[in-house]
Amino acid sequence: MKHQDQFDELKEFVLAAKGPEDVQARVVISLHKNFPHYNWAGIYRLEGQNLVLGPFQGKPTVHIRIPVGAGVCGSAALSQKTEVVPNVEADARYLACSLETRSEIVVPIIKNGAFWGEIDIDSDRPDAFGPDDVEFLEAVARLLSERL
Ligand code: SME
């Protein structure tokens, strides 16, 4: 995996965590710190028919509750598949979080076979997320799911 060093550091963070909330906070801190193009990193958790924002790094967002099916986040909750949006302006589903955001990736977190929530990353760079980011973030989501 291309981002193996960052993954190994993140794994240490996760193993040192003191519980489910702490582990989520550590993951977003590590992602935001280690990748300059990850300008906003947060975790949404499914509660009923809404995604509720947990820990995040980056500018505050108005989207602290997103209905399943709404936005890129809500689409990923329905499909339970990673969503990569290379140009947010060209995607009608996109809910704006920051005016600077140009691209986005949303990676589902599956716990014990069920959709638990998702990792959401925004970038100020257009087309910031490639196959290496998908592979890395899906590995992070699997790691995280074991500690939730
Ligand atoms: N852009 C997301 C909303 C969340 S903010 O990016 C933090 C979406 O379209 O669902």
Side-chain angles (χ1 to χ4, degrees), residues 3 36-39 84-87 102-105 121-134:
H3 301 309
H37 62 301
Y38 291 9
N39 297 95
V84 178
V85 180
N87 175 6
R102 291 291 170 267
S103 56
E104 178 167 16
I105 184 169
I121 316 271
D122 289 348
S123 182
D124 296 352
R125 291 189 206 163
D127 200 9
F129 305 106
D132 293 334
D133 298 280
V134 173

Short mmCIF file of all heavy atoms in Angstrom, two decimals, residues 3 36-39 84-87 102-105 121-134:
data_model
loop_
_atom_site.label_atom_id
_atom_site.label_comp_id
_atom_site.label_asym_id
_atom_site.label_seq_id
_atom_site.Cartn_x
_atom_site.Cartn_y
_atom_site.Cartn_z
N HIS A 3 0.45 4.34 1.08
CA HIS A 3 0.53 5.16 2.29
C HIS A 3 0.76 4.28 3.53
O HIS A 3 0.20 4.53 4.59
CB HIS A 3 -0.76 5.97 2.45
CG HIS A 3 -1.04 6.88 1.30
ND1 HIS A 3 -0.10 7.76 0.81
CD2 HIS A 3 -2.15 7.05 0.54
CE1 HIS A 3 -0.63 8.43 -0.21
NE2 HIS A 3 -1.86 8.01 -0.39
N PRO A 36 -1.59 16.74 3.50
CA PRO A 36 -1.89 18.15 3.27
C PRO A 36 -3.13 18.36 2.41
O PRO A 36 -3.78 19.39 2.53
CB PRO A 36 -0.64 18.66 2.53
CG PRO A 36 0.42 17.67 2.81
CD PRO A 36 -0.25 16.36 3.07
N HIS A 37 -3.45 17.40 1.55
CA HIS A 37 -4.63 17.58 0.69
C HIS A 37 -5.92 17.10 1.36
O HIS A 37 -6.99 17.19 0.77
CB HIS A 37 -4.44 16.92 -0.68
CG HIS A 37 -4.24 15.43 -0.66
ND1 HIS A 37 -3.21 14.83 0.01
CD2 HIS A 37 -4.94 14.44 -1.25
CE1 HIS A 37 -3.29 13.52 -0.18
NE2 HIS A 37 -4.33 13.26 -0.93
N TYR A 38 -5.84 16.60 2.61
CA TYR A 38 -7.06 16.27 3.35
C TYR A 38 -7.40 17.50 4.21
O TYR A 38 -7.03 17.59 5.38
CB TYR A 38 -6.84 15.06 4.26
CG TYR A 38 -6.63 13.71 3.57
CD1 TYR A 38 -6.46 13.61 2.19
CD2 TYR A 38 -6.60 12.53 4.32
CE1 TYR A 38 -6.27 12.37 1.58
CE2 TYR A 38 -6.41 11.30 3.71
CZ TYR A 38 -6.24 11.22 2.36
OH TYR A 38 -6.04 10.00 1.77
N ASN A 39 -8.08 18.48 3.62
CA ASN A 39 -8.30 19.75 4.31
C ASN A 39 -9.37 19.68 5.38
O ASN A 39 -9.40 20.49 6.31
CB ASN A 39 -8.66 20.84 3.29
CG ASN A 39 -7.52 21.08 2.33
OD1 ASN A 39 -7.49 20.50 1.24
ND2 ASN A 39 -6.54 21.87 2.73
N VAL A 84 -16.21 8.74 -4.68
CA VAL A 84 -15.17 9.71 -4.99
C VAL A 84 -15.78 10.77 -5.90
O VAL A 84 -16.37 10.43 -6.92
CB VAL A 84 -13.96 9.04 -5.69
CG1 VAL A 84 -12.91 10.10 -6.05
CG2 VAL A 84 -13.35 7.97 -4.82
N VAL A 85 -15.67 12.03 -5.49
CA VAL A 85 -16.20 13.14 -6.29
C VAL A 85 -15.01 14.02 -6.69
O VAL A 85 -14.51 14.81 -5.89
CB VAL A 85 -17.24 13.96 -5.48
CG1 VAL A 85 -17.78 15.11 -6.33
CG2 VAL A 85 -18.38 13.07 -5.02
N PRO A 86 -14.53 13.89 -7.95
CA PRO A 86 -13.35 14.64 -8.36
C PRO A 86 -13.59 16.14 -8.48
O PRO A 86 -12.67 16.93 -8.32
CB PRO A 86 -12.99 14.05 -9.72
CG PRO A 86 -14.12 13.18 -10.13
CD PRO A 86 -15.01 12.95 -8.96
N ASN A 87 -14.85 16.52 -8.78
CA ASN A 87 -15.20 17.93 -8.93
C ASN A 87 -16.56 18.16 -8.28
O ASN A 87 -17.59 17.81 -8.86
CB ASN A 87 -15.23 18.29 -10.43
CG ASN A 87 -15.71 19.72 -10.67
OD1 ASN A 87 -15.92 20.49 -9.73
ND2 ASN A 87 -15.91 20.06 -11.93
N ARG A 102 -12.97 21.42 -3.33
CA ARG A 102 -13.03 21.11 -4.76
C ARG A 102 -13.32 19.64 -5.04
O ARG A 102 -13.83 19.29 -6.10
CB ARG A 102 -11.69 21.49 -5.44
CG ARG A 102 -11.46 23.00 -5.48
CD ARG A 102 -12.44 23.67 -6.45
NE ARG A 102 -12.42 25.12 -6.37
CZ ARG A 102 -13.23 25.85 -5.59
NH1 ARG A 102 -14.13 25.26 -4.83
NH2 ARG A 102 -13.14 27.16 -5.55
N SER A 103 -12.91 18.75 -4.11
CA SER A 103 -13.17 17.33 -4.32
C SER A 103 -13.41 16.66 -2.97
O SER A 103 -13.10 17.23 -1.91
CB SER A 103 -12.02 16.66 -5.09
OG SER A 103 -10.79 16.85 -4.44
N GLU A 104 -14.00 15.46 -3.04
CA GLU A 104 -14.44 14.81 -1.79
C GLU A 104 -14.37 13.28 -1.95
O GLU A 104 -14.55 12.76 -3.06
CB GLU A 104 -15.88 15.23 -1.49
CG GLU A 104 -16.47 14.59 -0.23
CD GLU A 104 -17.78 15.25 0.22
OE1 GLU A 104 -18.38 16.00 -0.57
OE2 GLU A 104 -18.18 14.99 1.37
N ILE A 105 -14.11 12.61 -0.82
CA ILE A 105 -14.21 11.14 -0.79
C ILE A 105 -14.97 10.75 0.47
O ILE A 105 -14.75 11.33 1.54
CB ILE A 105 -12.82 10.46 -0.86
CG1 ILE A 105 -12.95 8.94 -0.92
CG2 ILE A 105 -11.93 10.87 0.30
CD1 ILE A 105 -11.63 8.23 -1.25
N ILE A 121 -13.81 12.97 3.73
CA ILE A 121 -12.64 13.85 3.55
C ILE A 121 -12.93 14.83 2.42
O ILE A 121 -13.39 14.42 1.34
CB ILE A 121 -11.36 13.06 3.15
CG1 ILE A 121 -11.18 11.79 3.99
CG2 ILE A 121 -10.15 13.98 3.17
CD1 ILE A 121 -10.42 11.93 5.24
N ASP A 122 -12.66 16.10 2.68
CA ASP A 122 -12.79 17.14 1.64
C ASP A 122 -11.40 17.68 1.33
O ASP A 122 -10.54 17.79 2.22
CB ASP A 122 -13.60 18.34 2.15
CG ASP A 122 -15.07 18.02 2.33
OD1 ASP A 122 -15.51 16.96 1.85
OD2 ASP A 122 -15.76 18.84 2.95
N SER A 123 -11.20 18.03 0.05
CA SER A 123 -9.94 18.64 -0.34
C SER A 123 -10.17 19.95 -1.07
O SER A 123 -11.13 20.08 -1.83
CB SER A 123 -9.14 17.69 -1.25
OG SER A 123 -7.89 18.30 -1.57
N ASP A 124 -9.26 20.90 -0.85
CA ASP A 124 -9.30 22.16 -1.60
C ASP A 124 -8.70 21.97 -3.00
O ASP A 124 -8.78 22.88 -3.82
CB ASP A 124 -8.51 23.26 -0.86
CG ASP A 124 -9.14 23.60 0.49
OD1 ASP A 124 -10.24 23.10 0.78
OD2 ASP A 124 -8.51 24.36 1.26
N ARG A 125 -8.10 20.79 -3.24
CA ARG A 125 -7.53 20.52 -4.57
C ARG A 125 -8.55 19.79 -5.43
O ARG A 125 -9.20 18.86 -4.95
CB ARG A 125 -6.32 19.58 -4.45
CG ARG A 125 -5.13 20.20 -3.80
CD ARG A 125 -3.94 19.25 -3.95
NE ARG A 125 -2.99 19.46 -2.88
CZ ARG A 125 -2.03 18.61 -2.55
NH1 ARG A 125 -1.90 17.47 -3.18
NH2 ARG A 125 -1.21 18.89 -1.57
N PRO A 126 -8.65 20.16 -6.71
CA PRO A 126 -9.51 19.39 -7.61
C PRO A 126 -8.96 17.97 -7.77
O PRO A 126 -7.74 17.78 -7.77
CB PRO A 126 -9.43 20.14 -8.95
CG PRO A 126 -8.73 21.43 -8.68
CD PRO A 126 -7.97 21.27 -7.40
N ASP A 127 -9.82 17.01 -7.88
CA ASP A 127 -9.44 15.62 -8.18
C ASP A 127 -8.31 15.13 -7.27
O ASP A 127 -7.33 14.55 -7.74
CB ASP A 127 -9.01 15.54 -9.67
CG ASP A 127 -9.07 14.12 -10.20
OD1 ASP A 127 -9.59 13.23 -9.49
OD2 ASP A 127 -8.58 13.90 -11.31
N ALA A 128 -8.47 15.35 -5.98
CA ALA A 128 -7.38 15.06 -5.04
C ALA A 128 -7.28 13.58 -4.67
O ALA A 128 -6.26 13.15 -4.14
CB ALA A 128 -7.57 15.89 -3.77
N PHE A 129 -8.35 12.80 -4.94
CA PHE A 129 -8.39 11.44 -4.40
C PHE A 129 -8.31 10.40 -5.51
O PHE A 129 -9.17 10.33 -6.38
CB PHE A 129 -9.67 11.24 -3.59
CG PHE A 129 -9.82 12.28 -2.51
CD1 PHE A 129 -10.74 13.32 -2.63
CD2 PHE A 129 -9.02 12.24 -1.38
CE1 PHE A 129 -10.86 14.28 -1.65
CE2 PHE A 129 -9.13 13.21 -0.38
CZ PHE A 129 -10.05 14.23 -0.52
N GLY A 130 -7.23 9.60 -5.45
CA GLY A 130 -7.01 8.56 -6.45
C GLY A 130 -7.11 7.19 -5.82
O GLY A 130 -7.49 7.05 -4.64
N PRO A 131 -6.74 6.15 -6.59
CA PRO A 131 -6.83 4.77 -6.09
C PRO A 131 -6.03 4.53 -4.81
O PRO A 131 -6.44 3.72 -3.97
CB PRO A 131 -6.26 3.94 -7.24
CG PRO A 131 -6.37 4.82 -8.45
CD PRO A 131 -6.31 6.23 -7.97
N ASP A 132 -4.91 5.26 -4.64
CA ASP A 132 -4.11 5.08 -3.41
C ASP A 132 -4.88 5.55 -2.18
O ASP A 132 -4.79 4.95 -1.11
CB ASP A 132 -2.80 5.88 -3.50
CG ASP A 132 -1.87 5.32 -4.56
OD1 ASP A 132 -1.98 4.12 -4.85
OD2 ASP A 132 -1.07 6.10 -5.09
N ASP A 133 -5.61 6.67 -2.35
CA ASP A 133 -6.42 7.17 -1.23
C ASP A 133 -7.57 6.21 -0.92
O ASP A 133 -7.90 5.98 0.24
CB ASP A 133 -6.99 8.56 -1.57
CG ASP A 133 -5.89 9.59 -1.78
OD1 ASP A 133 -5.36 10.10 -0.79
OD2 ASP A 133 -5.54 9.83 -2.95
N VAL A 134 -8.18 5.67 -1.98
CA VAL A 134 -9.29 4.72 -1.78
C VAL A 134 -8.79 3.50 -1.00
O VAL A 134 -9.38 3.10 0.01
CB VAL A 134 -9.91 4.29 -3.13
CG1 VAL A 134 -10.94 3.19 -2.92
CG2 VAL A 134 -10.53 5.49 -3.85
#
